[in-house]
Amino acid sequence: VFTARVLAAFEAEARKVLERHPANKRRQKADQPVANVVLTRGAGHAHRLVPLEEAGLPLRLACVSGDRTVLGLARIVGAKLVTKPGMTANLDTDLRLKFRAAAKQLRSRDLVLLHVKGADIAAHDRRPDLKVRFIERVDEEIGRLLADYDRPIRIAVASDHATLSESGQHGADPVPVLIWGDNIEADEVETLDEQSGAAGSLQRFPLQMLLGRLFELG
């Protein structure tokens, strides 16, 4: 109860600060939407990307997304932001456009994060049929990218959380992870799902270790 009261007081004060903030004043004059709330769901802190070498060679990162939250987080860690009309955080996103943009960024970046959210949206709507269809479309685009790409590459396919189509809510279930590419030895798993992934050589690990796994496997 005490924590809830403190949080409520913080949010009330935040609304007052935002209301008189110069950036919002400028947006009001330009007839643009203003920021009027601080989202307090899930506390965290800013991370720094790990260097590629102990000497400190910076990791050149690009983020392809239509999700404002993801783009904001990517900006914090110094990523190049890639977003265009047609790139959304929904089922209607232009996947071909996103994958083409990712392929272009791979020419000059060490790591490209391509974010899609359609499967999550479909599960929230309790539409497993749409979720399956969207995942199949993503699978097709990954195949097309790899078929056209002529350089060494490693890819990781993962989700930040599970979303259950039965309830439409997030779940704490472990999510399957795929890492594939040059100098990565294959295991016996041939299907990307929760049951098959549990038997893979990656074993179970916290997703914050994914970046290290992607670069260190070999």
Side-chain angles (χ1 to χ4, degrees):
V1 175
F2 173 77
T3 302
R5 288 176 177 170
V6 171
L7 188 59
F10 169 81
E11 291 177 344
E13 186 62 28
R15 285 192 289 272
K16 295 178 183 177
V17 172
L18 288 171
E19 186 176 357
R20 59 177 181 264
H21 196 280
N24 271 336
K25 297 294 184 183
R26 291 193 296 270
R27 294 185 67 83
Q28 283 178 334
K29 289 181 180 180
D31 198 27
Q32 296 175 333
V34 298
N36 56 12
V37 68
V38 174
L39 181 64
T40 54
R41 187 193 76 178
H45 62 275
H47 293 270
R48 289 193 305 169
L49 287 175
V50 297
L52 285 179
E53 299 176 355
E54 288 190 19
L57 181 66
L59 183 64
R60 297 169 299 175
L61 171 67
C63 176
V64 180
S65 177
D67 185 287
R68 297 295 179 182
T69 302
V70 171
L71 291 168
L73 291 172
R75 186 191 298 275
I76 289 174
V77 297
K80 177 182 178 180
L81 307 184
V82 181
T83 187
K84 298 179 180 180
M87 294 183 184
T88 74
N90 213 319
L91 288 159
D92 63 352
T93 192
D94 190 333
L95 288 175
R96 184 70 54 84
L97 181 63
K98 282 185 176 179
F99 275 82
R100 284 177 177 170
K104 181 178 179 180
Q105 293 303 316
L106 283 168
R107 300 285 175 176
S108 60
R109 299 281 155 172
D110 304 304
L111 177 66
V112 176
L113 170 65
L114 195 164
H115 174 258
V116 293
K117 192 176 172 65
D120 177 65
I121 297 298
H124 280 306
D125 290 341
R126 290 184 283 186
R127 290 292 305 272
D129 55 327
L130 296 181
K131 184 174 183 178
V132 169
R133 209 172 304 159
F134 185 83
I135 293 173
E136 289 174 343
R137 289 174 53 209
V138 172
D139 185 51
E140 290 176 2
E141 293 300 332
I142 292 174
R144 184 175 286 108
L145 182 148
L146 294 176
D148 295 338
Y149 199 74
D150 58 0
R151 299 184 181 188
I153 188 173
R154 289 184 177 186
I155 65 169
V157 179
S159 172
D160 60 334
H161 60 75
T163 307
L164 310 179
S165 297
E166 297 92 337
S167 64
Q169 298 178 346
H170 290 171
D173 307 54
V175 295
V177 175
L178 164 69
I179 298 179
W180 176 94
D182 290 270
N183 298 318
I184 295 178
E185 185 176 348
D187 57 22
E188 302 299 320
V189 178
E190 297 183 354
T191 304
L192 182 61
D193 58 51
E194 288 82 356
Q195 289 74 26
S196 301
S201 60
L202 287 174
Q203 301 297 312
R204 187 170 176 177
F205 65 94
L207 274 179
Q208 58 262 37
M209 295 173 59
L210 179 60
L211 189 60
R213 291 291 185 92
L214 178 62
F215 281 101
E216 293 173 3
L217 280 174

